[in-house]
């Protein structure tokens, strides 16, 4: 009976000890992944140059608006948008009824002035013959002479009016003044237009350029003559050499400055109206930048996690510049040789012990500031080890 009690007590004690050992082992294995948390790190990039790009449209360097020099009703329209025209080609016509009436009236006035001059000239000749014989007085002769001079002036005025009426009758035809392509049309048959009202927009043959809009905080980095490259949306892999030809001195309604970038290669493959992108290489002072996923903030104050030499974390406050697509420049707070954590920064804490890997999942050594290369291709990565360790702990627990 005593042996059974002694055996039962020994068994109970042994089970308690084993359970304690198991719990200690489980707790120890559960704490190890937390103490050696795997984090991805990178070093700030240093760049003295930045590549900026802007979307734009291919336009002709020279464009002109075509308009009738007289008003009237449109009776014919010969061309449309996209048509190629040559010098002297008739583009549209106006109703000529009123112009013909004015021309007939001017012709009649001219004929009347010619008859009046002929009469005045004959009268002056007769008085000139009578004056030596004192058949007429000197005052009478002077009066006839003044009438002759007035008839001459009236004839000149009538001739000018007739020439103007002739021109007016010809202005009813709108002709192209240069070779080019019609890019816009603002008239229709039957429409009544005023003198000088735009009818067509003509893009002249010759140089092509890309027109872009640049924000006010970036236009100061551009200058006339600066080199650029252009790619077309239809052929993004092909680049064309270009240069800044003109920078608008004032912003438009969208608060951007219009910049015209001229193409050096005036290839026929570049068509008007094509979508294009202009690339500028701008030089700046040396500047550090880090991924956006490295930045967190407390009370709107940004910070990053920097790795100490003993592979613990240190919260470092930084001053950031203008945010880019996937990176942000660091104006103060970091050095080029420091390592910062990338991703998951809101899950970390001060002085936490971590293990480091780069973006390619390779271990990082802070002693020689290099990435450790694995000699054994079959070696398990730290993340795989942590995963296996976690699974083992769960199964044993």
């Amino acid at each position: 009976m005593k042996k059974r009690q002694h055996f039962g007590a020994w068994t109970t004690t042994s089970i308690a000890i084993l359970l304690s050992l198991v719990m200690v082992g489980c707790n120890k294995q559960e704490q190890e992944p937390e103490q050696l948390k795997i984090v991805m790190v990178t070093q700030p990039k240093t760049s003295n140059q930045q590549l900026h790009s802007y979307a734009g449209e291919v336009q002709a360097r020279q464009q002109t608006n075509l308009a009738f020099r007289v008003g009237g009703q449109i009776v014919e329209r010969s061309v449309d948008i996209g048509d190629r025209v040559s010098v002297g080609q008739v583009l549209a016509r106006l109703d000529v009824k009123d112009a013909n009436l004015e021309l007939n009236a001017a012709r009649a006035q001219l004929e009347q002035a010619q008859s009046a001059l002929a009469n005045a000239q004959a009268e002056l000749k007769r008085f000139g013959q009578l004056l030596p014989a004192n058949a007429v007085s000197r005052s009478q002769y002077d009066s006839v002479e003044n009438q002759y001079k007035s008839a001459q002036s009236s004839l000149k005025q009538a001739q000018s009016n007739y020439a103007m009426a002739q021109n007016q009758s010809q202005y009813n035809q709108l002709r192209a003044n240069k070779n080019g392509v019609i890019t816009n049309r603002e008239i229709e048959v039957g429409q009544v237009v005023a003198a000088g009202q735009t009818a067509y927009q003509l893009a002249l043959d010759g140089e092509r350029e890309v027109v872009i809009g640049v924000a006010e905080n970036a236009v100061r980095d551009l200058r006339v003559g600066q080199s650029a490259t252009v790619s077309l949306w239809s052929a993004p892999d092909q680049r064309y050499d270009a240069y800044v030809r003109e920078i608008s001195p004032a912003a438009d309604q969208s608060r951007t400055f219009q910049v015209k970038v001229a193409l050096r290669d005036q290839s026929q493959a570049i068509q008007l109206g094509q979508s294009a992108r202009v690339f500028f290489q701008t030089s700046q002072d040396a500047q550090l930048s880090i991924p956006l996923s490295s930045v967190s903030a407390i009370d709107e104050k940004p910070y990053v996690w920097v790795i100490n030499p003993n592979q613990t974390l240190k919260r470092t406050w930084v001053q950031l510049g203008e945010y880019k697509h996937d990176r942000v420049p660091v104006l103060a707070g970091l050095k080029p040789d420091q390592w910062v954590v990338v991703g998951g920064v809101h899950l970390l804490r001060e002085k936490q012990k971590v293990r480091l890997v780069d973006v390619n999942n390779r271990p990082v050594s802070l002693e020689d500031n290099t990435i450790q290369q694995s000699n054994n291709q079959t070696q398990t990565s730290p993340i795989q080890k942590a995963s296996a360790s976690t699974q083992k702990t769960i199964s044993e627990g």
Side-chain angles (χ1 to χ4, degrees):
M1 189 69 178
K2 291 182 179 181
K3 289 183 180 181
R4 290 182 179 177
Q5 292 178 352
H6 179 73
F7 178 77
W10 181 85
T11 303
T12 303
T13 303
S14 300
I15 292 175
I17 294 174
L18 290 176
L19 289 175
S20 300
L21 292 175
V22 171
M23 293 299 295
V24 170
C26 291
N27 292 336
K28 187 175 181 179
Q29 290 179 355
E30 289 176 355
Q31 292 175 0
E32 182 176 357
E34 183 180 359
Q35 292 177 353
L36 300 178
K37 185 177 182 63
I38 308 294
V39 295
M40 185 179 297
V41 294
T42 187
Q43 287 184 313
K45 290 185 178 180
T46 304
S47 176
N48 292 330
Q49 290 187 337
Q50 292 185 349
L51 187 65
H52 298 279
S53 64
Y54 301 90
E57 180 184 358
V58 177
Q59 296 183 4
R61 178 172 180 176
Q62 295 182 344
Q63 299 187 80
T64 182
N65 292 330
L66 303 179
F68 289 99
R69 300 176 65 174
V70 295
Q73 185 179 33
I74 299 175
V75 295
E76 181 182 347
R77 177 174 58 80
S78 305
V79 296
D80 207 339
I81 298 175
D83 293 343
R84 177 168 293 278
V85 298
S86 56
V87 177
Q89 180 178 344
V90 177
L91 309 180
R93 298 178 188 273
L94 294 177
D95 187 3
V96 296
K97 293 179 180 179
D98 293 341
N100 289 337
L101 291 176
E102 292 179 359
L103 180 61
N104 293 334
R107 184 183 296 110
Q109 291 177 357
L110 176 61
E111 293 174 353
Q112 182 180 1
Q114 289 174 344
S115 300
L117 179 61
N119 293 333
Q121 186 176 8
E123 190 74 10
L124 179 63
K125 185 178 181 180
R126 286 194 297 269
F127 272 71
Q129 293 174 352
L130 296 175
L131 182 61
N134 294 323
V136 294
S137 64
R138 186 67 190 183
S139 61
Q140 290 177 327
Y141 177 81
D142 292 341
S143 177
V144 172
E145 186 179 16
N146 289 335
Q147 291 178 0
Y148 172 74
K149 292 180 179 179
S150 178
Q152 284 183 321
S153 299
S154 298
L155 177 61
K156 291 180 180 179
Q157 182 179 2
Q159 289 174 340
S160 298
N161 291 337
Y162 179 71
M164 184 180 297
Q166 282 184 317
N167 291 337
Q168 295 280 350
S169 63
Q170 295 176 359
Y171 291 158
N172 72 308
Q173 296 180 348
L174 180 61
R175 297 178 180 271
N177 56 2
K178 297 286 185 180
N179 297 332
V181 178
I182 300 296
T183 58
N184 191 24
R185 174 180 57 81
E186 299 183 7
I187 59 172
E188 290 290 349
V189 175
Q191 179 181 352
V192 177
V193 296
Q197 180 179 339
T198 300
Y200 291 100
Q201 186 178 61
L202 178 64
L204 277 58
D205 289 343
E207 297 184 12
R208 297 289 183 259
E209 60 188 14
V210 180
V211 179
I212 61 176
V214 181
E216 54 186 327
N217 63 341
V219 72
R220 62 177 178 266
D221 298 329
L222 303 180
R223 66 184 186 279
V224 176
Q226 179 177 345
S227 297
T229 56
V230 174
S231 67
L232 301 177
W233 182 84
S234 57
D237 297 333
Q238 187 174 1
R239 297 293 178 94
Y240 298 90
D241 291 333
Y243 65 94
V244 178
R245 186 182 68 83
E246 180 183 303
I247 300 177
S248 176
D252 55 19
Q253 295 180 352
S254 62
R255 309 309 305 164
T256 59
F257 291 79
Q258 187 181 77
V259 178
K260 296 181 178 180
V261 181
L263 297 167
R264 301 184 190 274
D265 179 18
Q266 298 301 325
S267 174
Q268 295 296 327
I270 302 176
Q271 303 296 330
L272 295 174
Q274 285 187 294
S275 299
R277 183 165 289 276
V278 180
F279 298 88
F280 295 104
Q281 194 79 28
T282 58
S283 299
Q284 297 182 348
D285 296 334
Q287 191 177 69
L288 300 179
S289 67
I290 57 176
L292 290 176
S293 57
S294 297
V295 181
S296 188
I298 297 178
D299 296 332
E300 299 184 357
K301 293 177 59 178
Y303 69 89
V304 297
W305 290 109
V306 175
I307 308 301
N308 290 322
N310 60 352
Q311 295 193 178
T312 58
L313 299 177
K314 176 184 178 183
R315 181 183 283 112
T316 302
W317 306 100
V318 292
Q319 180 181 354
L320 304 179
E322 181 181 359
Y323 283 71
K324 306 299 181 182
H325 176 65
D326 57 352
R327 301 186 68 83
V328 58
V330 180
L331 306 181
L334 277 184
K335 297 179 181 180
D337 59 346
Q338 290 180 314
W339 291 88
V340 297
V341 179
V342 181
V345 293
H346 61 289
L347 301 176
L348 305 177
R349 66 177 186 274
E350 187 76 19
K351 297 182 180 180
Q352 182 178 358
K353 186 74 173 180
V354 293
R355 298 182 65 179
L356 313 178
V357 295
D358 71 338
V359 293
N360 295 319
N361 198 25
R362 294 176 298 180
V364 176
S365 173
L366 298 183
E367 296 179 358
D368 53 1
N369 202 28
T370 59
I371 299 174
Q372 297 177 352
Q373 300 293 341
S374 176
N375 295 326
N376 186 1
Q377 297 181 353
T378 61
Q379 182 178 355
T380 306
S381 67
I383 294 179
Q384 293 173 339
K385 288 182 177 180
S387 177
S389 177
T390 303
Q391 294 178 355
K392 183 178 179 181
T393 302
I394 294 174
S395 63
E396 291 179 354

